[in-house]
Each structure stands twice: as C-alpha cells, then as structure tokens.
Amino acid sequence: MRVLTGIQPSGDLHIGNYFGSIKQMVDAQKDNDTFAFIANYHAMTSVKDGARLTELTMQSATDFLALGIDPEKSTFWVQSDVKEVLELYWVLSSFTPMGLLERAHSYKDKTAKGIAANHSLFSYPVLMAADILLYSPDIIPVGKDQIQHVEIARDIAQKFNNEYGEIFKLPEFKIEESVATVPGIDGQKMSKSYNNTVNIFGEEKKQLKTIKKIVTENVPMEAPKEYENCNVYNMAKLFLNEDECKELQERYKRGGEGHGHFKLYLHDVIWEYFRPYREKREYYAAHQDEVREILQAGAAKAKGVALPMIEQIRSCTGIAY
Ligand code: ADP
Ligand code: TRP
C-alpha cells in the first residue's frame, strides 16, 4: 500500500507530534510504500521570513531522519523540489468550487484567530490535494484536523475524473485512535500553540524543568494516588510496555511517593527513550550536506512518480500540444 504524508516544518517537535504522526509513519515503513515530504510551500502561509523557513526545513529534515524516517525504505523529499505540484495545483483549481473551500474548518479557524485571510491560506487545501493526487497514494495518516482536507482532495479528484476519466486514485484518510490526542503538561491537547509541550530534542535541564511543571493533584506523600487521570501517568504510559505500566500503577496505588518522584521517573523514561535518536540527530546535524543529498535523492524518486502523472494530466487537459 502507498502511504503518503506531508509535514509542515514548523519548529521544535514535541512528543504529541511523535506519537500522533512521526512514529506512525516510521512504523508504516515496514510493510508499505511510504512517501513523506516536508511541506515548505504550505509553511509559507505562516512563516514569512525566508532565512527562517530554510532553517526550519533543514531542522525538520534532520529531526525526521533522526527519528527513523529511512531514506532506503521511504521516499523522503522537500515539497518544493518537485515543482510539478504547483502545476497540478493550478489545474485542480479549475475543479474546486469556491463553496468547498469556504466550508474548510481550518481556514475558518485561522481567520477567526485573526490570521490575515490571504489567497494561499484559502487555497491551502487545493495545494494539499495536489500533494496527494500527484502520487496516487492509498492512505493518508492524519490528525483529526486534517480529515476534511483529505475529503476535499477526494471531491476535487472526483470532479476531475468525471471530466477526463479515471486519472486520480481516491485517497482514504487514517486516524490512529489510541494516540489521537497526547496530553500536554496542563492536561489539554499538547500543542506548540498552547505552550504546553514536552519537546523531543530539548536540553536535559530544560526537559526536567518542563516536566516538573506538569499539573498534578495535591495529595499527601503517604496517600495512595489515582493514576487514570494523572497527566504524569498518561504521558509515561506512551513510553512503557504493559509490565512497566502495571508496575507504575502499583507505585501510585501503594502511596509513599509524591508526584515529584513520578515526574523524575517520567523524565528518565523520556530521556532514555530518545537517547538513540538524539545521537542520530547529532550525527545528521554535523553532516547537513548528507541530509541535503538524501533530500535530493528523495526528490528524484518522487519525480519518478510525479512526472508520468503530470504528463498524463497535460495530455488529457489539452495543455500538451
Ligand atoms: P501543533 O499542534 O503543535 O501545532 P501540528 O499541528 O504541527 O502540531 O501537528 C503535526 C502533526 O502532529 C499532526 O499530524 C498532528 O495530528 C500531530 N499532533 C500534534 N499534536 C498532537 C497531540 N497532542 N496528540 C497527537 N497528535 C498530535
Ligand atoms: N496540512 C498538513 C498539516 O498541516 C500538512 C500537509 C501538506 C499534508 N500536504 C499534505 C498532509 C498532504 C498529508 C498529505 O499537518
């Protein structure tokens, strides 16, 4: 099965991004044909500083490689290295009713928050449809906020196919319910917009400081404690196997330890979990030319799929003459 995802290069990754998205992509590599790209054109809707966008793109590439995107198994590239996506974006625009975009939640949410309603923000789902349809994937793993965008891609594909025949494969979205929402240090959904994240590649002291801020119940040290709704437990369980979870539950039930102890334990667990990834990250950070080469090779692989598709589209739409 071909699985495709785009990831905006939007800064420091947190453990919500890891369990909600990156890990799923890494796991999918085992027995799928995985396509993953850094959506730098999409990021232009929010990042208006050129040097910063370049830096974020390289940072994201470095992070994803460190976290297990394997260029031998996956096609991994930067969106803008396959410019045909912009051509398809224009073609698809002629099959995109205004009403479809006007109904998009993400556009409505962003403008409601005061973000300027410019054309790229409005037509964001059309570029996303082009990202998807250019590569004929079967599955798009997404967070809940992106479901509607995949549905828009299907609608556009259908309208195009009605006109020109079965050119586009209709993509399906997939949500991993068990990790649909990783809680932040305040118990709300972890998100960089809420300032409640535990980052993957932060400094150790900083991570410990953040973990100490996790909101917990105020219960005396000796007393038994509830684990089900405890933010520390709920974060820890993402990293633990069944036996380790049970052991931690027992410690909560037994009493005699405060939340401070559980926080120290959580810090150690997270720090150890990401240790090998941190080492890999240090390697790639010191070898940015190698990262660029990997991205170039990935773009060449992606073009191998994109070019025959765009030629077919030029031909059926009459653009090729
Ligand atoms: P943020 O909310 O921090 O801005 P993004 O919107 O950039 O994160 O999300 C990037 C990816 O990570 C998406 O696939 C999204 O569904 C996933 N993700 C982000 N936060 C969480 C979370 N708290 N739990 C599960 N998945 C998440
Ligand atoms: N819009 C997605 C997000 O914000 C990123 C993205 C761009 C994407 N193009 C895509 C995701 C194509 C899946 C498929 O998370």
Side-chain angles (χ1 to χ4, degrees):
M1 247 196 310
R2 181 166 294 167
V3 180
L4 174 140
T5 194
I7 311 127
Q8 287 211 44
S10 47
D12 296 338
L13 294 172
H14 54 72
I15 62 176
N17 299 138
Y18 180 70
F19 288 102
S21 157
I22 303 162
K23 183 167 185 297
Q24 290 183 51
M25 205 57 195
V26 170
D27 292 345
Q29 293 181 128
K30 271 188 226 108
D31 31 39
N32 292 287
D33 178 21
T34 36
F35 276 52
F37 65 91
I38 298 177
N40 60 340
Y41 282 136
H42 278 108
M44 283 185 73
T45 57
S46 53
V47 185
K48 299 293 195 304
D49 171 338
R52 179 76 184 136
L53 184 55
T54 306
E55 186 190 345
L56 285 171
T57 302
M58 284 307 289
Q59 182 186 330
S60 300
T62 307
D63 289 347
F64 292 124
L65 289 170
L67 290 169
I69 296 285
D70 178 348
E72 298 290 322
K73 294 187 191 142
S74 282
T75 303
F76 178 53
W77 77 104
V78 177
Q79 185 184 30
S80 63
D81 280 334
V82 184
K83 301 262 187 296
E84 286 70 19
V85 75
L86 292 182
E87 183 175 346
L88 182 56
Y89 163 69
W90 178 255
V91 171
L92 297 181
S93 288
S94 293
F95 296 85
T96 310
M98 291 293 283
L100 194 62
L101 299 182
E102 276 158 0
R103 285 193 294 277
H105 304 304
S106 130
Y107 172 73
K108 286 196 282 195
D109 291 349
K110 283 179 182 158
T111 48
K113 275 191 201 142
I115 299 175
N118 64 29
H119 180 256
S120 74
L121 201 63
F122 185 65
S123 64
Y124 182 109
V126 188
L127 181 56
M128 182 156 158
D131 288 328
I132 296 171
L133 300 175
L134 190 55
Y135 301 101
S136 313
D138 303 283
I139 305 280
I140 317 293
V142 287
K144 282 191 187 132
D145 56 324
Q146 297 296 319
I147 295 176
Q148 195 190 23
H149 287 159
V150 180
E151 287 169 345
I152 292 175
R154 285 176 66 94
D155 282 359
I156 297 175
Q158 257 160 348
K159 286 207 164 33
F160 186 96
N161 286 354
N162 283 344
E163 212 65 51
Y164 297 109
E166 295 304 305
I167 306 276
F168 293 127
K169 185 181 251 179
L170 302 187
E172 307 273 352
F173 64 82
K174 178 172 162 255
I175 289 237
E176 188 65 61
E177 284 299 342
S178 62
V179 283
T181 309
V182 174
I185 61 170
D186 55 359
Q188 285 194 81
K189 173 191 178 308
M190 184 176 289
S191 168
K192 58 185 167 311
S193 350
Y194 302 151
N195 224 345
N196 64 356
T197 64
V198 175
N199 290 345
I200 301 175
F201 292 124
E203 286 167 31
E204 185 165 14
K205 268 194 194 149
K206 218 166 150 190
Q207 180 182 295
L208 185 57
K209 208 168 144 198
T210 308
I211 286 175
K212 283 189 175 159
K213 284 193 219 147
I214 295 178
V215 177
T216 48
E217 255 191 334
N218 204 354
V219 191
M221 175 97 90
E222 319 71 56
K225 293 173 188 66
E226 259 232 14
Y227 63 86
E228 284 95 340
N229 295 317
C230 175
N231 292 324
V232 176
Y233 176 82
N234 282 330
M235 218 178 271
K237 74 177 182 194
L238 297 165
F239 296 89
L240 302 177
N241 63 32
E242 219 175 301
D243 289 345
E244 291 165 331
C245 272
K246 286 216 181 92
E247 216 173 287
L248 184 58
Q249 289 172 13
E250 288 308 317
R251 286 173 62 186
Y252 270 77
K253 288 193 247 174
R254 215 181 292 137
E257 286 185 276
H259 282 110
H261 294 102
F262 299 133
K263 287 179 178 176
L264 283 181
Y265 172 72
L266 174 65
H267 166 73
D268 288 345
V269 165
I270 298 180
W271 194 252
E272 282 313 309
Y273 184 94
F274 288 115
R275 180 183 296 282
Y277 302 108
R278 224 166 16 248
E279 285 166 4
K280 227 165 135 194
R281 194 186 188 289
E282 276 162 25
Y283 171 83
Y284 283 120
H287 296 83
Q288 292 284 280
D289 284 347
E290 198 176 314
V291 174
R292 275 193 202 90
E293 275 166 30
I294 289 171
L295 293 171
Q296 289 304 317
K301 259 166 68 184
K303 274 188 198 167
V305 177
L307 294 182
M309 175 56 103
I310 203 78
E311 269 159 27
Q312 205 184 348
I313 289 161
R314 286 173 193 153
S315 162
C316 72
T317 53
I319 288 296
Y321 62 92

